[in-house]
Amino acid sequence: MSTAVCPGSFDPITLGHIDIVRRAASLFDEVVVGVARNSSKAALLGVDVRVELARAALADIPGVRVEQVTGLLAEFVRSVGAVAIVKGLRGGADFDAELPMALMNRRLTGVETIFLAGDQALAHIASSLVKDVARFGGDIDDLVPPGVGRVVRDALGSRPAGGGSRA
């Protein structure tokens, strides 16, 4: 059985993330979505909430499970027996950020990273932008799976409003 890990902070999970996981699931027998802490970012949502939201959003995709990454991704990859790491790319900036991590993970584990080009219709969706739009009262419900918008607004202490985003 071939297993891939699709890691990220998923703060929050977006329709772009779901697209990448769905396509990875068509390539591998099992995809383990690894919800991790990003030490260079302050998360809006706690890791337990992010895991719950990802599990709900991905429940209909056969062969996908969601787990928390508690340490190095390299150790997580080993622990689940993954043969690949799958990352989605929206554009060149994503590649520039992901390449050094892919090279380090290959050095640590021998496991290759596979880059999937994101759906062009979803390329504008990034978790950071979703949070920024919500922070300024913009509607994010068409950017995230059902229920995620409410959780993000609750975490921000805001509610949906027409317009007003800075994005």
Side-chain angles (χ1 to χ4, degrees):
M1 171 145 81
S2 63
T3 299
V5 169
C6 191
S9 56
F10 304 101
D11 186 38
I13 191 165
T14 69
L15 298 182
H17 293 131
I18 293 171
D19 168 60
I20 295 298
V21 173
R22 188 175 305 281
R23 289 191 290 123
S26 73
L27 301 172
F28 296 92
D29 298 316
E30 179 182 44
V31 174
V32 181
V33 174
V35 179
R37 289 182 175 93
N38 185 332
S39 60
S40 65
K41 297 179 185 176
L44 172 65
L45 305 173
V47 70
D48 292 338
V49 171
R50 290 183 277 137
V51 167
E52 288 176 33
L53 291 173
R55 284 181 177 152
L58 300 166
D60 70 325
I61 307 174
V64 172
R65 67 183 163 103
V66 178
E67 302 294 336
Q68 180 181 345
V69 178
T70 58
L72 276 178
L73 178 60
E75 291 302 319
F76 182 77
V77 167
R78 278 191 195 112
S79 74
V80 300
V83 299
I85 298 167
V86 175
K87 298 291 289 196
L89 299 178
R90 292 170 300 213
D94 285 351
F95 179 76
D96 290 343
E98 295 294 342
L99 181 60
M101 289 184 279
L103 296 172
M104 182 59 74
N105 283 320
R106 184 174 66 199
R107 180 186 167 276
L108 294 173
T109 64
V111 172
E112 294 290 348
T113 297
I114 297 172
F115 295 117
L116 292 179
D119 184 328
Q120 189 174 13
L122 304 171
H124 64 289
I125 303 174
S127 294
S128 58
L129 288 175
V130 167
K131 290 182 286 195
D132 198 36
V133 169
R135 188 172 285 115
F136 290 97
D139 183 16
I140 61 169
D141 290 329
D142 61 340
L143 307 173
V144 295
V148 173
R150 177 187 47 76
V151 173
V152 169
R153 287 187 294 273
D154 288 350
L156 291 169
S158 62
R159 56 190 211 303
S165 81
R166 293 183 357 152

